[in-house]
Amino acid sequence: MFADLKAHYEALKDRRIEAVLDATRAEAFAAMTGALRLDYAKTQIDDKALSMLIHLLDTRGVADKREAMFTGQPINDTEGRAVLHTALRNLDGGAVMVDGQDVMPDVLATLDRMSDFATSVRDGSYTGQGGQITDIVNIGIGGSDLGPKMGTLALAPYHDGPRCHFVSNVDPADIAQTLRGLEPTTTLVIVASKTFTTIETMTNARTAKAWMGEAVSDVGAQFAALSTAAEKTADFGIDPSRVFGFEDWVGGRYSMWGPIGLSLMIAIGPDAFRAFLRGGQAMDRHFRAAPWGENLPALLAMVGLWHNQVCGHTTRAVLPYDNNLSRLPAYLQQLEMESNGKGVSMDGVALPYNSGPVVWGEPGTNGQHAFYQLIHQGTRVVPCEFLVAARGHEDALHHQHQLLVANCLAQSEALMKGRSLDEARAKVADKFEGAELERQAAHRVFPGNRPSITLTYPQLTPEVLGMLVALYEHRVFVEGVVLGVNSYDQWGVELGKELATSLQPVVEGEKAADDKDGSTAALVAFLQRHGL
Ligand code: F6P
């Protein structure tokens, strides 16, 4: 499928991007919708590559599949489910039908219930035993943690509600350190679990219940649940009035738009949360209507396919020059790698090309003083994806923001330009000579011609965050359709879960490790000798 594109890349790859990057290219290889602008001019993609990629989207049926998704067809076909997280932000859209039923009345009613509850927590009409709620503890993992946590950090400047804490890891250090110092009588615990069976979440929820039980007489009254499993939340002792449900057509890693976003809503308020939803809805409309060459999610996907499947650069660095997006790389790791990290196509046949990329990253400028060395001079090419706002939220410190922006732009420029041997020699010619000059100069060469894209926006508002998250979701969708994988299941997480269950009696010393391999048995033995 990628042979023609690969041949084109081979012919193109030694061209210096800088040499062709005039104002015309800068304008042609950029696109905008609303407040978001995508610049992909600092890549090797040219007109021919772009039209070949667009042709690929057409031949792979992306447009039809897109309509199938938005209209509630069961495109998650290994689980027989629709994929309709877009319905959660369809604030003023029309009906969305699943199995002949419009799901929107329920979606909007749940949003209203969430808003009422969030308001009551924020204004003190809902209280804990000790009075107004001061702290929220969201217990969840994967999509039931990463989305609300990433969003809560991203929108920190908009917080005017109680403090929010997130517990995800079954490592007792996580919950113990979070609860330490909190006042149980003014804490609300939100158990976020689509299935309400995830072992980490349920273990932490029981620990939180025991902690609260030492100080609060009606523990269940200070718990809320976000789940599709109403019976299980009732068994846990949470009153249905504080249970916010959603349907199985919302995948965990796509769920921050609905009940799973409750902690974010409590932190920033229902109005700001709706602005976040409106941003997502605006991106949905753009994605459905814009031609591929101007369509941000499609362009981002084409850049991704170009770098990974065509050029063979198998990782992708997400580098937000926006400290409030510090968890965006982690959020995208789940979104992209759990969605498109698959080994077989829809029909069960092994993929003959790379699946989705390894996604990683850290905010700038921190990463510059850590791993950028490899990005600039290492032997592998790492396509970089920068994000930066025109302004932060700290008006009095705008000069610091300007320094941040200068650093961001400098990195993509440096990646592209590099530094030649002659330039490197000139840098140190006053210090060294002869063979030592050559040796020292070689260490200072930057190959350059390394691709990057940059997403810019005026400011990281709730609406812009909504646009960004929906942009990445749709990118994953487009890449998944082209690769022919099911982006909406996650069978790859099952085996480890099953083996952990079978290992539990072994690590607890109730069962011998006889049926385990030698290495696993030796690891258990070592840990048991040292206090396991
Ligand atoms: O194990 C993977 C996974 O199913 C993710 O897809 C999901 O986001 C996470 O676990 C948490 O699941 P739940 O919300 O059901 O607890």
Side-chain angles (χ1 to χ4, degrees), residues 141-144 192-196 198 201 252-253 334 338 490 493 497:
I141 197 165
S144 299
S193 177
K194 180 176 164 180
T195 53
F196 231 68
T198 304
T201 300
R253 53 193 175 273
Q334 186 197 17
E338 202 171 73
Q490 56 282 321
V493 302
K497 285 187 194 174

Side-chain angles (χ1 to χ4, degrees), residues 109-407:
T110 302
L111 183 61
D112 285 344
R113 282 187 58 231
M114 285 169 63
S115 303
D116 290 348
F117 182 62
T119 302
S120 71
V121 173
R122 287 161 57 83
D123 69 12
S125 49
Y126 165 87
T127 58
Q129 186 175 297
Q132 181 149 9
I133 296 296
T134 54
D135 295 88
I136 307 285
V137 177
N138 184 91
I139 297 179
I141 197 165
S144 299
D145 167 75
L146 288 163
K149 185 169 181 180
M150 181 276 292
T152 302
L153 288 170
L155 298 177
Y158 298 86
H159 287 201
D160 52 5
R163 290 179 290 265
C164 278
H165 313 267
F166 292 85
V167 172
S168 54
N169 204 324
V170 76
D171 183 338
D174 197 3
I175 191 142
Q177 285 163 23
T178 304
L179 297 182
R180 189 179 300 148
L182 294 191
E183 170 51 51
T185 62
T186 58
T187 295
L188 170 69
V189 176
I190 299 178
V191 184
S193 177
K194 180 176 164 180
T195 53
F196 231 68
T197 57
T198 304
I199 193 154
E200 293 94 329
T201 300
M202 299 322 298
T203 305
N204 278 324
R206 283 190 293 272
T207 301
K209 205 174 178 184
W211 167 80
M212 193 173 275
E214 288 178 14
V216 172
S217 50
D218 184 1
V219 173
Q222 282 179 228
F223 269 68
L226 320 173
S227 183
T228 54
E231 262 180 39
K232 294 194 173 77
T233 59
D235 290 348
F236 192 84
I238 304 177
D239 190 84
S241 62
R242 286 184 310 283
V243 175
F244 301 91
F246 52 105
E247 300 296 326
D248 68 2
W249 38 256
V250 180
R253 53 193 175 273
Y254 298 87
S255 62
M256 69 179 291
W257 310 96
I260 293 294
L262 182 64
S263 44
L264 171 61
M265 185 194 260
I266 295 174
I268 63 174
D271 291 346
F273 189 81
R274 278 173 196 262
F276 165 69
L277 298 184
R278 273 199 305 280
Q281 186 181 25
M283 186 54 72
D284 293 342
R285 290 188 166 139
H286 167 74
F287 178 50
R288 278 180 98 165
W292 293 143
E294 295 160 28
N295 191 308
L296 262 70
L299 286 166
L300 214 50
M302 289 189 274
V303 169
L305 293 161
W306 171 257
H307 285 146
N308 183 1
Q309 283 76 19
V310 178
C311 308
H313 309 319
T314 55
T315 88
R316 176 188 291 167
V318 180
L319 307 167
Y321 278 66
D322 199 325
N323 205 56
N324 290 335
L325 288 175
S326 59
R327 289 299 280 171
L328 182 70
Y331 173 81
L332 292 180
Q333 278 175 336
Q334 186 197 17
L335 183 68
E336 304 208 11
M337 294 163 76
E338 202 171 73
S339 296
N340 287 342
K342 305 289 161 64
V344 297
S345 59
M346 282 290 206
D347 43 12
V349 174
L351 293 184
Y353 35 72
N354 280 341
S355 65
V358 175
V359 177
W360 60 287
E362 271 289 315
T365 59
N366 295 6
Q368 288 176 207
H369 299 272
F371 54 79
Y372 278 41
Q373 165 64 43
L374 181 149
I375 287 179
H376 284 290
Q377 287 188 316
T379 51
R380 291 178 203 86
V381 173
V382 179
C384 293
E385 306 201 345
F386 297 98
L387 295 101
V388 70
R391 41 182 213 286
H393 291 82
E394 300 72 21
D395 293 345
L397 298 174
H398 187 61
H399 63 287
Q400 256 184 258
H401 185 81
Q402 288 170 329
L403 185 57
L404 177 77
V405 173
N407 271 277

